[in-house]
Amino acid sequence: MKIAVLGGDGFVGWPTVLHLSNLGHEVHIIDNLSRRWIDTELGVQSLTPMDSIQERCRIWKQETGKTLGFHLIDIARDYYLLRDWLVEHRPDAIIHFAEQRAAPYSMKSDRHKIYTVTNNVNATHNLLTALVETDLDAHLVHLGTMGVYGYSSVGAAIPEGYLDVEITNLEGEKKAMEILYPTRPGSIYHMTKSLDQILFQFYAQNDGLRITDLHQGIVWGTHTDQTRRHPQLINRFDYDGDYGTVLNRFLIQAAIDYPLTVHGTGGQTRAFIHIQDSVRCIELALGDAPERGERVRIFNQMTETHRVRDLAELIAKMTGAKVAYLPNPRKEAAENDLVVKNDKFLALGLEPTTLAEGLLEEVVDVAKKFAHRIDRKRVPAVSAWTKDIATRVEKDPERNRLKSVS
Ligand code: NAD
Ligand code: USQ
């Protein structure tokens, strides 16, 4: 297949590009490199030393003989470039990773809120309208998030996208209906993924676009089989308070002897998936495309759930790290249960890589190797969800104590 990977320079995009190229597909990366600019804005860098995207593609060619295309396009702003690219290349499938994906970054200020909404919603909508305009019947696979469901504990498993409900009509009869699972995003970033869902529903229904939306949990790990092939194919690894995600952060914190930064009680339960499984799921989703006229196909892309404090305790036991319970900069439930259905990927053949498989150690080893690249001042998460929370967090003695010890 000819596949366009939008956001192919990112943390999940790059290993996906390599995985699909290795399988023999013709892969084209479209990216505006905004994530690299955001590192510059924040004054941080990936834990791992990333080469330019052109150099990464050159090394892949050298190692495998396979060519990767790279096209510098901002899909949120350069609509006509995107449309003309699609006309010229006519891909069979498009994988859409190209959004601002950090919840803390999206909550930093009004500017960051506006950027995240403008970038993400326009990126998705430009792509959808371009597919219609160019009469392109490509299968669109979008990376969404488990966070669209919210984290209320209703004591029922979260289904894969849709919920069966019963509505009482004016005659008092009960009518069955299937709706998108009610969305309850917890940040501006997660809200944009909820808006994406409505855009997909409309374009599938109105124009017959073939769309798969993958509601992915928190991705952890760093290497995949393909990024391991050469030091210059190494993946991005975010550790800072805005872009680093919880499990990867705890692992690097343990590696540099920094207390594990648990927010609140750590009673938040979240869904997780290893990066190797993430790229495999995308392969599986590509092989299971919907028909024209079908509703959007939604998969829950996760393999296990964990409570934040359980993860901290597990890593503390494994490495001897200390755990710091800090005031939570986010507005989120202090404690929640989470049961998630993921039957669809299991039925397609996914064999989950769980925390128990020894890969936690691998991340700690990578972090130790590149520890000299870590700026400890960038480790704390400082983006607060409201002004009141910001004031409370700022005054907290435990947070200030951590500042002085670290
Ligand atoms: P990332 O920030 O590392 O990569 C996103 C890439 O998209 C970057 O290379 C960026 O430059 C590019 N991009 C952003 N806006 C663009 C635009 N307007 N035009 C062109 N390129 C643009 O993020 P990631 O961790 O690789 O996540 C990829 C996708 O998967 C995101 O949509 C994210 O919401 C979703 N996701 C990620 C995780 C996770 O834990 N990392 C979990 C669930 C879902
Ligand atoms: N947390 C801590 N300590 C930290 C960092 C985070 O306790 O140092 C807590 C947070 O308060 C939160 C939980 O860990 O309760 C998860 O935070 P996270 O930053 O790991 O994940 P999140 O903000 O939800 O976002 C990440 C990705 C996003 C993706 C989402 C999947 O950045 O792109 O969509 O995971 S999910 O969480 O399933 O919605």
Side-chain angles (χ1 to χ4, degrees), residues 101-104 145-147 151 189-190 216-218 244-246 249-250 253 261-263 268 270-271 308 328 330 332:
R101 70 106 177 126
T145 175
M146 283 296 304
Y151 296 104
Y189 154 71
H190 287 98
Q216 186 166 237
I218 301 170
T245 52
V246 65
R249 270 166 66 73
F250 287 173
Q253 289 167 353
T261 55
V262 173
H263 293 165
Q268 309 92 315
R270 294 291 183 269
V308 166
N328 195 343
R330 305 185 186 205
E332 59 185 357

Short mmCIF file of all heavy atoms in Angstrom, two decimals, residues 101-104 145-147 151 189-190 216-218 244-246 249-250 253 261-263 268 270-271 308 328 330 332, ligand 2:
data_model
loop_
_atom_site.label_atom_id
_atom_site.label_comp_id
_atom_site.label_asym_id
_atom_site.label_seq_id
_atom_site.Cartn_x
_atom_site.Cartn_y
_atom_site.Cartn_z
N ARG A 101 -0.40 17.09 21.22
CA ARG A 101 -0.95 15.99 21.99
C ARG A 101 -0.76 16.02 23.52
O ARG A 101 -1.10 15.06 24.21
CB ARG A 101 -0.41 14.67 21.47
CG ARG A 101 1.07 14.42 21.75
CD ARG A 101 1.27 13.40 22.84
NE ARG A 101 2.66 13.11 23.06
CZ ARG A 101 3.24 13.20 24.23
NH1 ARG A 101 2.55 13.60 25.29
NH2 ARG A 101 4.51 12.89 24.37
N ALA A 102 -0.21 17.12 24.05
CA ALA A 102 0.03 17.12 25.50
C ALA A 102 -1.05 17.91 26.23
O ALA A 102 -1.28 19.09 25.94
CB ALA A 102 1.41 17.72 25.81
N ALA A 103 -1.69 17.26 27.21
CA ALA A 103 -2.72 17.94 27.99
C ALA A 103 -2.12 19.12 28.78
O ALA A 103 -2.66 20.23 28.72
CB ALA A 103 -3.40 16.93 28.91
N PRO A 104 -0.99 18.95 29.50
CA PRO A 104 -0.45 20.10 30.25
C PRO A 104 -0.09 21.27 29.34
O PRO A 104 -0.35 22.42 29.68
CB PRO A 104 0.79 19.52 30.95
CG PRO A 104 0.54 18.05 31.02
CD PRO A 104 -0.23 17.71 29.77
N THR A 145 -7.93 9.22 21.60
CA THR A 145 -7.46 8.98 22.97
C THR A 145 -8.53 8.34 23.84
O THR A 145 -9.72 8.61 23.66
CB THR A 145 -7.00 10.32 23.61
OG1 THR A 145 -6.65 10.08 24.96
CG2 THR A 145 -8.08 11.38 23.57
N MET A 146 -8.09 7.54 24.79
CA MET A 146 -9.01 6.98 25.79
C MET A 146 -9.65 8.10 26.59
O MET A 146 -10.74 7.95 27.14
CB MET A 146 -8.25 6.07 26.76
CG MET A 146 -7.89 4.71 26.23
SD MET A 146 -9.32 3.72 25.85
CE MET A 146 -10.17 3.73 27.41
N GLY A 147 -8.96 9.24 26.67
CA GLY A 147 -9.43 10.37 27.48
C GLY A 147 -10.74 10.97 27.01
O GLY A 147 -11.35 11.74 27.74
N TYR A 151 -13.17 9.84 33.05
CA TYR A 151 -12.76 8.82 34.02
C TYR A 151 -13.74 8.68 35.17
O TYR A 151 -13.36 8.47 36.30
CB TYR A 151 -11.36 9.13 34.54
CG TYR A 151 -10.35 9.07 33.43
CD1 TYR A 151 -9.83 10.23 32.87
CD2 TYR A 151 -9.97 7.85 32.89
CE1 TYR A 151 -8.93 10.18 31.82
CE2 TYR A 151 -9.08 7.79 31.83
CZ TYR A 151 -8.57 8.96 31.31
OH TYR A 151 -7.70 8.90 30.26
N TYR A 189 -6.71 19.70 25.31
CA TYR A 189 -6.23 18.71 24.35
C TYR A 189 -7.25 17.57 24.15
O TYR A 189 -7.63 17.25 23.03
CB TYR A 189 -4.87 18.12 24.78
CG TYR A 189 -4.67 16.74 24.21
CD1 TYR A 189 -4.44 16.55 22.86
CD2 TYR A 189 -4.79 15.60 25.02
CE1 TYR A 189 -4.32 15.27 22.33
CE2 TYR A 189 -4.67 14.33 24.50
CZ TYR A 189 -4.44 14.17 23.15
OH TYR A 189 -4.34 12.92 22.61
N HIS A 190 -7.69 16.98 25.28
CA HIS A 190 -8.63 15.87 25.16
C HIS A 190 -9.95 16.34 24.51
O HIS A 190 -10.60 15.60 23.79
CB HIS A 190 -8.91 15.25 26.54
CG HIS A 190 -7.75 14.45 27.08
ND1 HIS A 190 -6.84 14.97 27.97
CD2 HIS A 190 -7.34 13.18 26.85
CE1 HIS A 190 -5.92 14.06 28.27
NE2 HIS A 190 -6.21 12.95 27.60
N GLN A 216 -6.63 5.57 21.95
CA GLN A 216 -5.41 5.00 22.52
C GLN A 216 -5.17 5.43 23.97
O GLN A 216 -5.46 6.57 24.35
CB GLN A 216 -4.23 5.45 21.66
CG GLN A 216 -2.90 4.81 22.06
CD GLN A 216 -1.82 4.98 21.02
OE1 GLN A 216 -1.26 4.01 20.54
NE2 GLN A 216 -1.51 6.20 20.67
N GLY A 217 -4.63 4.53 24.76
CA GLY A 217 -4.22 4.85 26.12
C GLY A 217 -2.83 5.47 26.11
O GLY A 217 -2.29 5.83 25.05
N ILE A 218 -2.22 5.60 27.29
CA ILE A 218 -0.91 6.25 27.41
C ILE A 218 0.17 5.30 26.85
O ILE A 218 0.26 4.15 27.27
CB ILE A 218 -0.61 6.57 28.88
CG1 ILE A 218 -1.70 7.51 29.45
CG2 ILE A 218 0.79 7.18 29.04
CD1 ILE A 218 -1.64 7.69 30.96
N GLY A 244 6.16 14.76 28.89
CA GLY A 244 6.45 13.42 29.40
C GLY A 244 5.18 12.80 29.95
O GLY A 244 4.41 13.48 30.63
N THR A 245 4.95 11.53 29.67
CA THR A 245 3.74 10.87 30.21
C THR A 245 4.15 10.03 31.42
O THR A 245 5.31 9.67 31.60
CB THR A 245 3.03 10.04 29.14
OG1 THR A 245 3.97 9.17 28.55
CG2 THR A 245 2.40 10.93 28.10
N VAL A 246 3.15 9.70 32.23
CA VAL A 246 3.41 9.30 33.61
C VAL A 246 4.40 8.13 33.76
O VAL A 246 5.35 8.23 34.53
CB VAL A 246 2.08 9.08 34.37
CG1 VAL A 246 1.28 7.91 33.82
CG2 VAL A 246 2.34 8.90 35.84
N ARG A 249 7.85 8.95 32.59
CA ARG A 249 8.45 9.93 33.53
C ARG A 249 8.96 9.22 34.78
O ARG A 249 10.08 9.47 35.23
CB ARG A 249 7.41 10.99 33.91
CG ARG A 249 7.42 12.17 32.99
CD ARG A 249 6.20 13.05 33.15
NE ARG A 249 6.07 13.73 34.43
CZ ARG A 249 6.80 14.77 34.83
NH1 ARG A 249 7.79 15.21 34.07
NH2 ARG A 249 6.57 15.36 36.00
N PHE A 250 8.15 8.35 35.36
CA PHE A 250 8.59 7.66 36.57
C PHE A 250 9.89 6.87 36.29
O PHE A 250 10.79 6.82 37.13
CB PHE A 250 7.50 6.70 37.08
CG PHE A 250 6.31 7.39 37.72
CD1 PHE A 250 5.19 6.64 38.08
CD2 PHE A 250 6.29 8.75 37.97
CE1 PHE A 250 4.08 7.26 38.68
CE2 PHE A 250 5.19 9.38 38.56
CZ PHE A 250 4.09 8.62 38.91
N GLN A 253 12.77 9.29 36.07
CA GLN A 253 13.01 9.87 37.40
C GLN A 253 13.80 8.88 38.25
O GLN A 253 14.76 9.24 38.93
CB GLN A 253 11.67 10.25 38.05
CG GLN A 253 11.02 11.46 37.37
CD GLN A 253 9.55 11.68 37.77
OE1 GLN A 253 8.95 10.86 38.45
NE2 GLN A 253 8.97 12.77 37.31
N THR A 261 7.14 11.62 40.85
CA THR A 261 6.21 12.74 41.06
C THR A 261 4.75 12.31 40.93
O THR A 261 4.13 12.50 39.88
CB THR A 261 6.52 13.87 40.05
OG1 THR A 261 6.47 13.27 38.72
CG2 THR A 261 7.88 14.48 40.27
N VAL A 262 4.20 11.75 42.00
CA VAL A 262 2.79 11.33 41.97
C VAL A 262 1.90 12.54 42.22
O VAL A 262 2.11 13.28 43.20
CB VAL A 262 2.54 10.25 43.05
CG1 VAL A 262 1.05 9.93 43.15
CG2 VAL A 262 3.35 9.00 42.75
N HIS A 263 0.91 12.75 41.37
CA HIS A 263 -0.03 13.86 41.56
C HIS A 263 -1.16 13.43 42.49
O HIS A 263 -1.86 12.46 42.20
CB HIS A 263 -0.65 14.28 40.23
CG HIS A 263 0.33 14.88 39.27
ND1 HIS A 263 0.06 15.06 37.92
CD2 HIS A 263 1.60 15.34 39.46
CE1 HIS A 263 1.09 15.62 37.34
NE2 HIS A 263 2.05 15.79 38.24
N GLN A 268 -5.50 7.90 40.44
CA GLN A 268 -5.99 7.97 39.06
C GLN A 268 -5.64 6.66 38.35
O GLN A 268 -4.48 6.27 38.32
CB GLN A 268 -5.34 9.13 38.30
CG GLN A 268 -5.40 10.49 39.00
CD GLN A 268 -4.18 10.76 39.87
OE1 GLN A 268 -3.73 9.89 40.61
NE2 GLN A 268 -3.64 11.95 39.79
N ARG A 270 -5.42 4.71 34.77
CA ARG A 270 -5.34 5.04 33.34
C ARG A 270 -5.03 3.78 32.53
O ARG A 270 -4.56 2.77 33.07
CB ARG A 270 -4.21 6.07 33.09
CG ARG A 270 -4.47 7.44 33.71
CD ARG A 270 -5.61 8.18 33.04
NE ARG A 270 -5.83 9.51 33.57
CZ ARG A 270 -6.66 9.81 34.57
NH1 ARG A 270 -7.35 8.84 35.17
NH2 ARG A 270 -6.82 11.06 34.97
N ALA A 271 -5.26 3.88 31.22
CA ALA A 271 -5.00 2.76 30.30
C ALA A 271 -3.61 2.95 29.68
O ALA A 271 -3.20 4.09 29.40
CB ALA A 271 -6.06 2.76 29.22
N VAL A 308 -1.94 5.14 39.20
CA VAL A 308 -0.67 5.87 39.21
C VAL A 308 0.17 5.49 40.42
O VAL A 308 1.38 5.25 40.31
CB VAL A 308 -0.95 7.39 39.13
CG1 VAL A 308 0.28 8.20 39.47
CG2 VAL A 308 -1.47 7.76 37.74
N ASN A 328 -1.89 18.06 43.10
CA ASN A 328 -2.17 17.78 41.69
C ASN A 328 -2.40 19.08 40.92
O ASN A 328 -3.31 19.83 41.23
CB ASN A 328 -3.41 16.88 41.59
CG ASN A 328 -3.54 16.27 40.21
OD1 ASN A 328 -2.91 16.74 39.26
ND2 ASN A 328 -4.33 15.23 40.09
N ARG A 330 -3.60 19.25 38.08
CA ARG A 330 -4.76 19.06 37.18
C ARG A 330 -6.07 19.03 37.96
O ARG A 330 -6.08 18.72 39.15
CB ARG A 330 -4.63 17.71 36.46
CG ARG A 330 -3.34 17.56 35.71
CD ARG A 330 -3.34 16.26 34.93
NE ARG A 330 -2.04 16.05 34.31
CZ ARG A 330 -1.84 15.32 33.23
NH1 ARG A 330 -2.85 14.72 32.64
NH2 ARG A 330 -0.63 15.18 32.73
N GLU A 332 -8.92 16.77 38.13
CA GLU A 332 -9.30 15.41 37.71
C GLU A 332 -9.74 14.64 38.95
O GLU A 332 -9.40 15.03 40.08
CB GLU A 332 -8.13 14.70 37.02
CG GLU A 332 -6.89 14.55 37.88
CD GLU A 332 -5.68 13.96 37.14
OE1 GLU A 332 -5.77 13.60 35.96
OE2 GLU A 332 -4.62 13.85 37.78
N1 USQ B 2 0.65 12.08 36.51
C1 USQ B 2 1.31 11.98 37.72
N2 USQ B 2 2.61 12.37 37.76
C2 USQ B 2 3.29 12.81 36.67
C3 USQ B 2 2.61 12.89 35.44
C4 USQ B 2 1.28 12.52 35.40
O1 USQ B 2 0.74 11.57 38.73
O2 USQ B 2 4.47 13.14 36.80
C5 USQ B 2 -0.77 11.67 36.43
C6 USQ B 2 -1.68 12.75 35.85
O3 USQ B 2 -2.13 13.64 36.85
C7 USQ B 2 -2.79 11.90 35.24
C8 USQ B 2 -2.08 10.62 34.80
O4 USQ B 2 -0.85 10.59 35.53
O5 USQ B 2 -3.71 11.54 36.21
C9 USQ B 2 -1.80 10.52 33.32
O6 USQ B 2 -1.07 11.66 32.89
P1 USQ B 2 -0.19 11.59 31.54
O7 USQ B 2 0.49 12.89 31.36
O8 USQ B 2 0.62 10.36 31.54
O9 USQ B 2 -1.33 11.34 30.42
P2 USQ B 2 -2.38 12.32 29.73
O10 USQ B 2 -2.25 13.72 30.15
O11 USQ B 2 -3.73 11.70 29.89
O12 USQ B 2 -1.98 12.27 28.19
C10 USQ B 2 -1.28 11.19 27.58
C11 USQ B 2 -0.81 11.67 26.21
C12 USQ B 2 -2.02 11.99 25.34
C13 USQ B 2 -2.92 10.77 25.28
C14 USQ B 2 -3.32 10.30 26.67
C15 USQ B 2 -4.04 8.97 26.64
O13 USQ B 2 0.04 12.81 26.34
O14 USQ B 2 -1.59 12.33 24.03
O15 USQ B 2 -4.08 11.07 24.55
O16 USQ B 2 -2.12 10.07 27.44
S1 USQ B 2 -5.21 8.84 27.93
O17 USQ B 2 -4.56 9.20 29.18
O18 USQ B 2 -5.66 7.46 27.95
O19 USQ B 2 -6.27 9.77 27.63
#
